[in-house]
């Protein structure tokens, strides 16, 4: 029997590269996965791939920037399965704007999706977690919360770390763990908004050169970290930020 058999997880941004691999990884452990994404076609592709491999998955459309959709999605899921064991918040937006060209609407959208969305998802799940006396919330943060980046994105991810630690304290009495995974640069479709392939090649090489292991992080690396933090094996791990970055969280090193 798979170790997480019978448990239900909702993954936002499940149609993306990191989110999709995470959905598949959870399904391998026996989770029933609700793959949600603003792009329902991609969510369905991920869910279909999981079921074709013998896993349990369903797809649902979700705009994490819409509070009403969040409430409806969590309510439907809880009523459909009679429980909700984990939320994985992988949906995100990153407007490639610096301070000089910062757009107010883009700033608001970034915080709505990257920061407010996980908070509202947790609030919607609270009745189920309170009843079960268990649950897990795993937020996909970013190394930008320490190193900086595009202002709106970096601010949202720093806020997400603060939210993670705050909710870990608040939800601990009912047995809910709250953690974050903070990857370094991962070459995905999401990353392509930084520029064309030549720009990504140059950026990836700079990241690799600054990494003790000399390797880039893959979606699978992030998914494995999420799978652990969501699992019963991490039942006493909460309030943590797990940096998946091939050692770049370490002090400056000499090669």
């Amino acid at each position: 029997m798979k170790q997480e058999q019978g448990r239900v997880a909702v993954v936002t941004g499940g149609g993306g590269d990191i989110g999709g691999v995470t959905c598949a990884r959870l399904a391998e452990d026996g989770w029933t996965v609700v793959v949600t994404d603003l792009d329902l076609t991609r969510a369905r592709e991920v869910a279909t791939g999981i079921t074709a491999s013998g896993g349990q998955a369903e797809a649902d459309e979700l705009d994490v920037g819409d509070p009403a959709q969040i409430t409806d999605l969590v309510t439907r899921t809880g009523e459909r399965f009679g429980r909700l064991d984990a939320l994985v918040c992988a949906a995100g937006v990153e407007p490639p704007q610096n301070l000089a060209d910062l757009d107010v609407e883009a700033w608001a959208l970034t915080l709505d999706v990257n920061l407010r969305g996980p908070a509202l998802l947790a609030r919607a799940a609270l009745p189920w977690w309170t009843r079960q006396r268990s649950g897990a919330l795993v937020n996909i943060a970013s190394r930008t919360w320490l190193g900086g980046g595009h202002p709106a994105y970096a601010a949202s991810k720093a806020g997400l770390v603060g939210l993670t630690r705050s909710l870990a304290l608040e939800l601990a009495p009912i047995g809910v763990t709250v953690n974050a995974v903070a990857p370094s640069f991962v070459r995905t479709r999401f990353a392509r908004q930084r520029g064309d392939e030549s720009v990504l090649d140059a950026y990836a090489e700079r990241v690799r050169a600054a990494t003790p292991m000399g390797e880039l992080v893959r979606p699978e690396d992030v998914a494995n970290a999420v799978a652990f933090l969501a699992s019963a094996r991490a039942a006493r791990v909460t309030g943590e930020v797990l940096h998946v970055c091939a050692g770049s969280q370490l002090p400056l090193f000499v090669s």
Side-chain angles (χ1 to χ4, degrees):
M1 181 177 177
K2 295 181 179 180
Q3 57 191 11
E4 307 297 335
Q5 197 79 41
R7 302 181 79 197
V8 178
V10 170
V11 179
T12 71
D17 292 333
I18 291 176
V21 173
T22 297
C23 289
R25 179 66 181 79
L26 292 172
E28 288 177 9
D29 283 349
W31 290 87
T32 295
V33 184
V34 180
V35 184
T36 75
D37 202 279
L38 183 61
D39 187 334
L40 183 57
T41 298
R42 285 186 178 175
R44 284 173 172 162
E45 289 173 355
V46 171
T48 297
I50 291 172
T51 56
S53 299
Q56 301 293 319
E58 295 184 358
D60 213 327
E61 185 176 3
L62 177 63
D63 179 356
V64 180
D66 186 332
Q69 287 193 31
I70 287 174
T71 300
D72 289 346
L73 182 280
V74 173
T75 299
R76 284 199 310 274
T77 300
E79 292 176 348
R80 164 82 170 83
F81 297 102
R83 62 185 301 114
L84 177 57
D85 298 283
L87 290 174
V88 179
C89 297
V93 295
E94 182 181 6
Q97 299 173 347
N98 294 318
L99 184 61
D101 55 5
L102 186 65
D103 178 79
V104 172
E105 291 184 359
W107 174 279
L109 176 64
T110 303
L111 267 66
D112 285 351
V113 173
N114 297 359
L115 181 55
R116 187 184 70 181
L120 295 183
L121 281 155
R123 185 183 69 175
L126 188 55
W128 303 96
W129 290 342
T130 301
R131 186 178 308 132
Q132 295 166 194
R133 307 297 293 180
S134 67
L137 171 62
V138 184
N139 294 315
I140 303 300
S142 168
R143 285 279 299 156
T144 60
W145 83 279
L146 286 174
H150 294 127
Y153 185 73
S156 71
K157 293 303 183 178
L160 188 59
V161 170
L163 177 68
T164 296
R165 295 170 66 86
S166 296
L167 294 186
L169 286 171
E170 182 174 342
L171 301 181
I174 59 171
V176 174
T177 62
V178 187
N179 295 286
V181 176
S184 55
F185 173 73
V186 184
R187 193 154 187 166
T188 61
R189 286 172 292 184
F190 183 84
R192 288 177 189 152
Q193 60 194 314
R194 291 177 177 269
D196 60 23
E197 291 302 313
S198 63
V199 171
L200 284 184
D201 287 342
Y203 185 79
E205 187 52 41
R206 290 199 301 273
V207 172
R208 185 182 290 108
T211 301
M213 296 184 74
E215 298 179 349
L216 294 179
V217 172
R218 307 165 302 163
E220 292 81 2
D221 301 320
V222 182
N224 287 334
V226 172
F228 167 68
L229 291 173
S231 74
R233 293 167 293 169
R236 299 296 177 269
V237 178
T238 196
E240 295 294 338
V241 181
L242 178 54
H243 290 267
V244 180
C245 54
S248 60
Q249 85 281 8
L250 299 169
L252 184 65
F253 70 99
V254 178
S255 59

